[in-house]
Amino acid sequence: MNFDTIAVVGLGYIGLPTAAVFASRKKTVIGIDVNADTVNLINRGEVHIVEPDLDMLVHAAVSGGYLRATCKAEPADAFLIAVPTPFKDGHEPDLSFIESASKSIAPVLKVGDLVVLESTSPVGTTEQMAQWLAEARPDLSFPQTAGEASDIRIAHCPERVLPGHVLRELVHNDRVIGGMTPLCSATAIELYSTFVEGECVVTNERTAEMCKLTENSFRDLNIAFANELSIICDKQGIDVWELIGLANRHPRVNILQPGPGVGGHCIAVDPWFIVSQAPKESRLIRTAREVNESKPTWVVEKVRSLALQLSETEGKPVGALRIGCLGLSFKADIDDLRESPALAITLEISKVFPGQVLAVEPHIDSQPESLKRHDIPLVSLEDASQADIILLLVDHKEWKGMSLQLRNDQRFLDTRGVVRKPPEQN
Ligand code: SAJ
């Protein structure tokens, strides 16, 4: 099958790089997004998200005439849906973006088209999407009723790329291809073969949905283990990073790193999709989420007790202490502040110590609104290093290996294990 024209619905962190990579393979790509500002920006060859090399790729794709963005769906040979799947109150998945994306493309579908759901989704969402499409287009047949003979082919191929490495991982990662029928899978493989150099592994759509949720839940559980260890080690007077480094020398142990909590739009969300569908059975997955969600509160408590100690030993009034927070983004070396435990902790600390908090974030230029509202200035690392309590929240490369010369009346809390203390001599 020839995919002359490919439509990508949702031009965000996944959709835009995917559209640009198809365009770089000289496919005609139509990017569809509900946000007119995003559409206009892309049509000028610019980007609204920070991802290495994406700006160059999009600029080349648009100026070469291969990529064009629009708010209204147009006919294509394949449609990729890459819209957000957040959760609602009570951690219930919110499929409304997938529903409206499906309804927006339904009028332009024609016999032989392929529709791929890339958004991370609870089990059963691909079948639900197929149902929405079938209801909107009773004149076409779909795999859930017509099987291999269907007019429209449908598959779930979850995205699995790591922010910060999206363009490399899009090409090199293996893809899980969950077609609703073997023909749907084969058609989806043909589409992805345009640029994927990893292996395309076939399964059904429900297993593909669960596979993506499993990958992110596995990481969440492993980080929860590290976070729980960090709290235990703090109580026991053990350096958790040294401990994990030692344990990981065992050939079958591979523990991830503790931190101030788990952020981002994926790992902190996706495990809830499993829990919401199997609440009684998902005890471990739920507990891991709870452990990771409670870590920011532990960090705030730790700062509070350091402040009390400092005021007792150095005689400084608690209300006069300055707290310098290093890093605001949800993980290292990016500018993304959404769902960031570092930002949440900084704001929470400023509620306990109003007007006493300073923040450093080398990846952003202007003070975010939330910091303005809490009266938290954005300062240099040098200025923050003069604070009474220095709190390291993100392991940015800017301060890896940094050696802090602390005064006697300063305290340092490193939630990422970036600044190592020399091992104590026995
Ligand atoms: N984190 C730790 N300790 C670690 C690793 C991460 O505390 O050892 C924290 C990070 O600081 C961050 C959060 O976890 O706050 C998530 O960061 P991440 O780098 O683990 O993952 P994401 O959210 O950027 O991307 C994940 C990836 N999934 C897996 O690695 C299994 C990516 O491949 C997925 O495509 C992405 O979710 C997604 O879109 O689902």
Side-chain angles (χ1 to χ4, degrees), residues 14 120 159-163 169 173 212 215-216 219 223 227 256-267 270 330-332 341 395 416:
I14 302 302
T120 305
E159 60 83 12
R160 313 160 101 182
V161 288
L162 194 68
E169 292 209 350
N173 286 3
K212 172 62 197 260
E215 291 160 13
N216 280 355
R219 197 158 168 85
I223 300 170
N227 275 334
L256 289 173
Q257 298 301 306
V262 170
H265 345 287
C266 311
I267 297 198
D270 302 351
F330 90 80
K331 66 176 191 176
D395 45 342
R416 297 278 187 179

Side-chain angles (χ1 to χ4, degrees), residues 98-116:
I98 298 179
E99 182 175 3
S100 51
S102 312
K103 290 181 176 166
S104 77
I105 61 164
V108 299
L109 286 182
K110 59 183 186 323
V111 175
D113 283 355
L114 168 71
V115 182
V116 177

Side-chain angles (χ1 to χ4, degrees), residues 136-347:
R137 290 298 301 271
D139 55 316
L140 292 172
S141 65
F142 289 82
Q144 63 270 35
T145 47
E148 290 292 50
S150 66
D151 292 333
I152 305 295
R153 328 238 189 269
I154 294 186
H156 178 52
C157 306
E159 60 83 12
R160 313 160 101 182
V161 288
L162 194 68
H165 302 270
V166 167
L167 292 175
R168 178 171 49 82
E169 292 209 350
L170 264 178
V171 173
H172 294 286
N173 286 3
D174 291 345
R175 291 300 290 232
V176 175
I177 309 278
M180 285 183 74
T181 67
L183 184 58
C184 295
S185 297
T187 315
I189 290 183
E190 250 183 272
L191 174 69
Y192 283 101
S193 303
T194 311
F195 66 83
V196 171
E197 290 176 20
E199 202 178 324
C200 290
V201 190
V202 172
T203 180
N204 59 42
E205 74 284 9
R206 290 175 72 85
T207 311
E209 288 161 345
M210 189 62 184
C211 181
K212 172 62 197 260
L213 302 180
T214 301
E215 291 160 13
N216 280 355
S217 297
F218 167 79
R219 197 158 168 85
D220 197 43
L221 250 98
N222 195 328
I223 300 170
F225 181 61
N227 275 334
E228 187 164 290
L229 278 177
S230 73
I231 295 173
I232 296 168
C233 285
D234 183 70
K235 200 170 170 184
Q236 304 277 31
I238 291 168
D239 178 337
V240 69
W241 288 279
E242 184 195 359
L243 172 82
I244 290 175
L246 293 170
N248 282 352
R249 284 175 177 258
H250 185 288
R252 285 173 295 285
V253 174
N254 187 9
I255 307 167
L256 289 173
Q257 298 301 306
V262 170
H265 345 287
C266 311
I267 297 198
V269 174
D270 302 351
W272 288 118
F273 292 174
I274 299 181
V275 176
S276 78
Q277 292 187 320
K280 279 204 195 115
E281 297 78 4
S282 318
R283 289 181 297 161
L284 201 54
I285 296 172
R286 178 200 295 273
T287 304
R289 259 314 46 244
E290 288 167 354
V291 168
N292 285 333
E293 281 187 350
S294 66
K295 190 71 192 288
T297 309
W298 183 86
V299 174
V300 174
E301 280 312 310
K302 206 67 202 154
V303 171
R304 205 201 285 265
S305 65
L306 277 181
L308 288 175
Q309 264 176 33
L310 198 55
S311 120
E312 267 170 32
T313 54
E314 304 298 326
K316 278 195 185 177
V318 170
L321 296 175
R322 309 283 280 168
I323 297 139
C325 296
L326 310 193
L328 294 171
S329 59
F330 90 80
K331 66 176 191 176
D333 309 327
I334 59 166
D335 68 336
D336 195 343
L337 304 186
R338 292 174 304 159
E339 319 300 330
S340 166
L343 178 62
I345 289 168
T346 304
L347 298 179

